[in-house]
Amino acid sequence: MSINTADFAALAVTIVLFAVIYYLDYKKGVDFGLLTLLGTVFGIAVGLGFGNHFTYVEIFGRIYTNVLTALVVPMLLFSIIASITNLSESIHLKKIGGKSIFYLILNTAIASTITVIAAVILKVGDGFAYKVADGYQKVEVPSVVDTIVNLFPSNFATNWSEGQIIPIVVFAIIIALSYNAISKENESVKPFKAFIDAGNQVIGQAIDWIIGFTPYAVLSFLARAVGRSSVTELLPLLSTLSIILYLMCSSGIWSRRIIN
């Protein structure tokens, strides 16, 4: 069997398995978690059956990732602005923001302290000989000043394209606070709030739709991952999956979901 034929055969089998997942989802109402687990099983089966012939199978996973990534920034932007503008008084925002930052810093400090203490007591890395790879080039670490400056937005389009989340969050907070500052005295800005709330609902619906394709994406990604790996490397995954399936079947979860 030629490479192209094997690739198309893997694609055909994958489409059939997609149809099975679709049937169980929309006709039988099987739980989303079980569908994702089923996608895992199907993905492993396709990977084992067709090896590295996943050229067309992986397309579904890549599209899923790309679309989900494209929606992250709009979701973040609309949700933050909508949340802050929904607060009736700015004093509430100050209290919430202050407490959030305090607990975030406190949790980070505690986690860092525990990690350092545990590393010293357990002597992590003691005796480890590290050899720098050939052709290694040092990466210049930004200064403290540059790090602080980069936390704030400079070019929104650039921040979006490069996936710089913190500047986008700061941008959204600035816009939301600006709206809160003038909304009580200027009625003409009310349509902006309506637009943000509507956009937040629309983006949320889009995210829900894309998340619904997770079982199909899991099948696609696992087929590619398993196709690239050897059987010995997959034994821990297969054994763990077998235990999960056994526990589910023995407890009757799978059968109840199918019947219902």
Side-chain angles (χ1 to χ4, degrees):
M1 186 162 48
S2 64
I3 295 179
N4 289 337
T5 304
D7 290 337
F8 279 111
L11 176 62
V13 171
T14 299
I15 292 176
V16 172
L17 296 178
F18 281 172
V20 173
I21 295 176
Y22 178 86
Y23 174 79
L24 293 176
D25 185 13
Y26 290 94
K27 299 298 182 180
K28 294 296 184 180
V30 176
D31 185 77
F32 179 80
L34 292 177
L35 291 175
T36 303
L37 181 60
L38 188 61
T40 302
V41 175
F42 286 166
I44 293 175
V46 172
L48 292 175
F50 293 94
N52 60 355
H53 299 288
F54 50 77
T55 303
Y56 303 113
V57 175
E58 69 171 345
I59 292 176
F60 301 100
R62 292 171 60 184
I63 293 174
Y64 172 88
T65 303
N66 291 342
V67 175
L68 198 59
T69 302
L71 291 173
V72 168
V73 172
M75 177 192 67
L76 196 63
L77 187 65
F78 279 93
S79 63
I80 291 176
I81 296 178
S83 299
I84 295 177
T85 53
N86 284 335
L87 297 175
S88 58
E89 299 179 3
S90 61
I91 186 65
H92 292 165
L93 177 62
K94 294 179 182 178
K95 291 181 179 180
I96 294 173
K99 289 182 180 180
S100 300
I101 294 175
F102 171 75
Y103 286 116
L104 176 62
I105 295 176
L106 179 62
N107 289 336
T108 303
I110 293 175
S112 301
T113 303
I114 294 175
T115 302
V116 172
I117 294 175
V120 172
I121 294 176
L122 299 176
K123 297 181 179 180
V124 177
D126 188 23
F128 178 75
Y130 177 76
K131 182 180 179 181
V132 179
D134 297 336
Y136 172 78
Q137 295 181 353
K138 294 183 179 179
V139 178
E140 184 178 353
V141 179
S143 64
V144 176
V145 175
D146 290 336
T147 301
I148 295 176
V149 171
N150 291 333
L151 293 178
F152 294 86
S154 56
N155 185 309
F156 184 78
T158 302
N159 297 143
W160 187 337
S161 62
E162 296 181 357
Q164 299 172 356
I165 299 300
I166 295 181
I168 294 174
V169 171
V170 175
F171 176 84
I173 293 175
I174 292 174
I175 296 298
L177 293 179
S178 300
Y179 173 84
N180 287 346
I182 64 174
S183 61
K184 294 181 179 180
E185 300 176 356
N186 191 346
E187 292 292 329
S188 63
V189 300
K190 295 297 183 180
F192 175 79
K193 172 62 176 172
F195 166 73
I196 291 297
D197 290 340
N200 190 36
Q201 294 182 22
V202 171
I203 296 298
Q205 181 61 57
I207 293 291
D208 287 341
W209 279 347
I210 300 303
I211 294 299
F213 288 97
T214 298
Y216 308 94
V218 168
L219 192 162
S220 175
F221 282 131
L222 274 178
R224 181 184 65 177
V226 172
R228 290 176 173 177
S229 306
S230 62
V231 177
T232 55
E233 294 174 340
L234 297 173
L235 288 179
L237 174 61
L238 294 175
S239 60
T240 302
L241 186 60
S242 300
I243 294 174
I244 294 176
L245 291 175
Y246 171 77
L247 293 175
M248 293 179 63
C249 292
S250 61
S251 61
I253 295 178
W254 185 274
S255 59
R256 287 199 301 270
R257 292 293 184 180
I258 294 295
I259 293 174
N260 294 335

